[in-house]
């Protein structure tokens, strides 16, 4: 069941990225990045076992966030991609502040939700701060590296359009490695043992490798839609 849900989640996340582009243009991609920032930071608190390994959720949404910035880079340029990254950072900061406030309200006598909210969000400031740092560094690096690869391939081939798959995959793979190392060690150091933490990080990166390779057709589709 976990494996099936993860596959469906991946299809929905990548499909929604392209759908937001189709319906709302570059503003839709920026909006989707903000949505991913909130949902992924909730999902990442859940640890599941799938494909023979323990992994945190949020991987598919984070992957689609990288897809969105790559689409922004490819179609609208580096400046617009960096605006998308900034939108994700601001959204994460606001989510950290608001989720912290939720746990400090005094509930009414008939309230039933506060214990669950406190259980879910009481430990998230550390996780969200780690996520914010990981997101800001890795996404900014992704945009920078994407255009570095683009300059290199254009110089080598003389074409502005060739090797889209190369700049997409090899910017995202490096960026997601930075993302998962910073987040996992920042969020879970002292919570899991070092061997568990290394295993979880490795498992998450394996998932990121797969999602990075699978997002390429969606990037080609997005470019076709934009044209």
């Amino acid at each position: 069941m976990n494996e099936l849900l993860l596959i469906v989640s991946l299809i929905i996340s990548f499909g929604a990225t392209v759908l937001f582009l189709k319906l709302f243009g570059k503003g839709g991609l920026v909006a989707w990045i903000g949505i991913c920032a909130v949902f992924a930071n909730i999902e990442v608190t859940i640890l599941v076992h799938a494909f023979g390994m323990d992994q945190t959720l949020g991987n598919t949404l984070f992957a689609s966030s990288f897809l969105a910035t790559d689409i922004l880079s490819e179609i609208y340029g580096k400046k617009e991609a960096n605006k998308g990254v900034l939108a994700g950072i601001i959204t994460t900061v606001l989510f950290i502040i608001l989720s912290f406030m939720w746990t400090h309200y005094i509930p009414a006598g008939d309230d039933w939700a506060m214990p669950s909210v406190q259980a879910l969000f009481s430990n998230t400031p550390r996780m969200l701060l780690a996520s914010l740092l990981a997101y800001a560094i890795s996404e900014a690096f992704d945009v920078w590296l994407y255009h570095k690869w683009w300059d290199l391939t254009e110089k080598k081939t003389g074409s502005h359009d060739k090797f889209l798959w190369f700049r997409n995959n090899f910017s995202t793979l490096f960026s997601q490695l930075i993302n998962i190392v910073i987040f996992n060690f920042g969020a879970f150091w002292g919570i899991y043992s070092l061997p568990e933490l290394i295993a979880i990080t490795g498992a998450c990166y394996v998932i990121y490798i797969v999602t990075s390779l699978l997002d390429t057709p969606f990037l080609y589709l997005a470019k076709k839609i934009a044209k």
Side-chain angles (χ1 to χ4, degrees), residues 44-208:
V44 81
T45 61
I46 305 171
L47 186 67
V48 299
H49 186 82
F51 299 106
M53 62 188 83
D54 289 338
Q55 56 187 282
T56 56
L57 292 181
N59 293 331
T60 56
L61 282 170
F62 277 125
S64 69
S65 177
F66 280 93
L67 173 61
T69 55
D70 283 354
I71 294 173
L72 285 168
S73 286
E74 183 69 26
I75 298 173
Y76 300 106
K78 186 176 182 179
K79 182 178 179 181
E80 297 301 325
N82 282 324
K83 285 184 180 179
V85 174
L86 181 59
I89 293 172
I90 293 173
T91 303
T92 302
V93 170
L94 291 173
F95 184 62
I96 291 172
I97 294 171
L98 291 172
S99 64
F100 176 79
M101 292 173 61
W102 296 339
T103 62
H104 288 78
Y105 280 100
I106 299 173
D110 293 331
D111 173 79
W112 56 267
M114 183 58 78
S116 299
V117 170
Q118 289 177 333
L120 181 60
F121 294 108
S122 60
N123 293 322
T124 54
R126 173 183 169 182
M127 291 185 183
L128 290 174
L129 287 172
S131 177
L132 174 62
L133 182 62
Y135 177 86
I137 293 174
S138 63
E139 285 278 17
F141 181 79
D142 179 63
V143 173
W144 174 83
L145 188 58
Y146 190 96
H147 288 272
K148 284 296 181 183
W149 287 132
W150 202 344
D151 291 340
L152 177 63
T153 55
E154 186 174 8
K155 183 178 179 181
K156 293 292 184 181
T157 65
S159 172
H160 189 69
D161 293 323
K162 289 183 178 179
F163 287 96
L164 170 58
W165 62 270
F166 179 86
R167 54 183 175 267
N168 167 232
N169 287 314
F170 285 94
S171 61
T172 303
L173 285 171
F174 283 109
S175 303
Q176 288 186 334
L177 178 60
I178 293 172
N179 176 56
I180 200 63
V181 169
I182 293 175
F183 173 75
N184 277 0
F185 280 83
F188 301 122
W189 183 265
I191 297 176
Y192 299 111
S193 67
L194 182 59
E196 288 176 320
L197 191 53
I198 293 174
I200 292 171
T201 302
C204 289
Y205 189 59
V206 169
I207 298 299
Y208 275 142

